[in-house]
Amino acid sequence: MLVGAGFAAAPPIAFEEVARKAGLLFVLKNAESGQFHQIELMGGGVAALDYNNDGCADIFFTNGAAIPSLKKTGPEFYNRLYRNNCDMTFTDVTSEAGLQGEGYSMAVAVGDFDNDGFADIFVAGVDRNILYRNLGNGKFLDVTLKSGVSGDKPKPWSVSSGWVDYDNDGWLDLFVTNYVAWDPSREPKCGNPDQRFYCHPNQYKGLANQLFHNNHDGTFTDVSAKSGVGAHIGKGMGVAFADMDGDGFMDIFVANDSVRGFLFHNQGNGTFKEVGLETGVALRDDGAAIAGMGADWRDFDNDGRPDIVVSGMINDGFLLFRNRGAKRGFDDHSERSGLLIGTRQLTGWGLGMYDFDNDGWKDLFFANAHFTQLGHFLGRDAALPNRVFRNQGNGRFVDVEALSGAALHRGVAFADFDNDGRVDAVVTAMNGPAKLYRNVSGGAAHWLAVKLRGVKSNRQGLGAEVRVVLEDGRSLYNHATTTVGYGSSSEVVVRFGLGTQSAVQRLEVHWPGRKTQTVKIAAVDNMVEVVEEP
């Protein structure tokens, strides 16, 4: 374990907001109508992806603003794709890419579902989910009907989604979190006639999540019932994937809103067992369910076991579940880590666990905003700044950065947009401009970026665990996933901060199914591509 290693010498974490300078002029719409439609509160997923394989991370924004029955449409409500010009500026290429569709979108998930080397886009939303196949020529094709992933029986309200190869057959499958049954014509009315407000989730019936199996021919089969996932009714928000017990199969965590969280343990035979209560991640340490929003599942303490972080509403506190091993489950580490008390007065949405200062310890970024009605009842401003909590390397986090500009933030995606070795973030804001935070943390900490190419495994290597062994024998751990936070998708690259270590002994890739490949690294401070050995 790397307790405290290199932390004292690490420079402050710092970000510069550069969205307007970079040409990102996107504004997330929610089409508020004064009718207090529940869907107006949600939305705002964003993705970081390299759709044209030029080595520079592009940005896709979801836009939620064609409320069913109200028919608000138009270009200002479209989802948007911005191409990275590889100089930290971006160009809107939505129309030329064929992505100018309408609908009340919520979330985006990026993955190469057909193994052709180009990242495809799944958009989840209200009454309609969409799958766009990347044609490899800068254009996308809507293949929703052919693929069978619309999930429209019954009509869904999908809030998050993600790509995962749950059966290790080398093809990415699709998991979709569904929230509640919603019908604008039957919207419950909460409050009194002269002071209406948005209803609590307990006024709506929850929905089961969905799992779609990839048939290897561009189509998918809904295996929600067969897999066991569909047997559990929740109010799904964020989703995250990791192999919690090292058995070679990816497990699934779902953050639910005001009901207990789900942990679907992969049985390795195409089925899942829900073990949230048994493993200790369903509820807060005091037995309370929180309004779970976003989630990430990574190893914060470098012990080789992935841990879970979950954001929630004001007075919930954000939760950190420490993985104690296959037979011991998880401990609620929220209070001991300092995270619980540090986030009690926040409402968090998107989040991510990344090493922003490259000191060898993954830090926490939270996109924050209270619900708009909070100001009417508690006298608080709903707009909040985003915050960064630094990992001190001893099991504790400290709030070190309140990023400038309070807003109604929602989704956040992470990537190294300027290829300088530091992880940046793009954040959406309800009815406000998106923000692009360029990481300008100082110091001379070293880093390593790993891009995987599966051969027997899925092309992007999603689900692969990567271990870096440093010169002094210490180890760092991470795994390949694009599913991070709330309704959002981050870069596929697996990143490591190395602190003062200017060389590494070796890099180990445990491909899906646990086949291990060892790679010699000639030099750090760059990106290496690892192709799976046949």
Side-chain angles (χ1 to χ4, degrees), residues 400-415:
V400 296
E401 180 80 1
L403 303 177
S404 61
L408 302 178
H409 300 109
R410 289 297 187 264
V412 54
F414 301 92

Side-chain angles (χ1 to χ4, degrees), residues 24 26 45-46 59-63 79-82 426-428 434:
L24 283 182
F26 175 78
V46 57
I59 299 173
F60 179 90
F61 293 101
T62 65
N63 205 359
N79 301 321
R80 290 284 171 183
L81 176 65
Y82 285 84
V426 57
V427 185
T428 63

Side-chain angles (χ1 to χ4, degrees), residues 154-342:
K155 289 185 177 181
W157 177 1
S158 304
V159 171
S160 286
S161 54
W163 295 99
V164 58
D165 183 5
Y166 76 91
D167 56 356
N168 291 342
D169 65 353
W171 296 79
L172 291 178
D173 312 297
L174 180 66
F175 187 90
V176 181
T177 68
N178 292 318
Y179 187 52
V180 299
W182 179 81
D183 183 339
S185 67
R186 299 179 180 178
E187 189 84 68
K189 297 185 185 302
C190 295
N192 53 57
D194 62 345
Q195 192 175 49
R196 288 275 311 279
F197 53 83
Y198 292 101
C199 295
H200 189 275
N202 63 17
Q203 297 295 308
Y204 301 84
K205 180 182 177 181
L207 297 175
N209 301 305
Q210 292 171 289
L211 179 63
F212 295 91
H213 179 261
N214 192 327
N215 299 324
H216 310 176
D217 59 1
T219 68
F220 293 78
T221 298
D222 188 337
V223 295
S224 307
K226 180 180 178 181
S227 67
V229 166
H232 301 275
I233 304 298
K235 296 176 181 179
M237 299 282 271
V239 61
F241 308 123
D243 180 1
M244 71 174 182
D245 53 3
D247 64 357
F249 290 91
M250 296 297 280
D251 307 299
I252 303 170
F253 175 81
V254 177
N256 283 312
D257 189 355
S258 303
V259 297
R260 69 181 184 88
F262 292 154
L263 198 162
F264 294 104
H265 182 224
N266 195 329
Q267 304 296 288
N269 59 2
T271 68
F272 291 82
K273 180 182 179 182
E274 202 288 299
V275 295
L277 286 173
E278 299 96 301
T279 56
V281 299
L283 302 166
R284 199 169 56 195
D285 208 21
D286 61 359
I290 73 165
M293 306 282 202
D296 198 3
W297 196 348
R298 299 177 192 268
D299 182 3
F300 85 88
D301 54 359
N302 288 322
D303 65 356
R305 298 186 292 259
D307 314 291
I308 299 174
V309 61
V310 187
S311 58
M313 277 191 63
I314 184 173
N315 295 325
D316 282 338
F318 303 169
L319 304 185
L320 180 64
F321 296 107
R322 191 173 193 174
N323 191 335
R324 306 302 293 171
K327 296 182 179 180
R328 299 175 62 188
F330 293 76
D331 288 341
D332 187 340
H333 197 65
S334 314
E335 185 173 2
R336 282 169 286 172
S337 68
L339 191 62
L340 190 66
I341 189 66

Side-chain angles (χ1 to χ4, degrees), residues 131-168:
L131 178 60
Y132 293 106
R133 179 173 175 256
N134 190 332
L135 301 178
N137 59 359
K139 298 182 180 298
F140 290 80
L141 178 67
D142 184 341
V143 296
T144 311
L145 292 179
K146 176 185 176 182
S147 67
V149 298
S150 63
D152 58 357
K153 295 181 181 179
K155 289 185 177 181
W157 177 1
S158 304
V159 171
S160 286
S161 54
W163 295 99
V164 58
D165 183 5
Y166 76 91
D167 56 356
N168 291 342

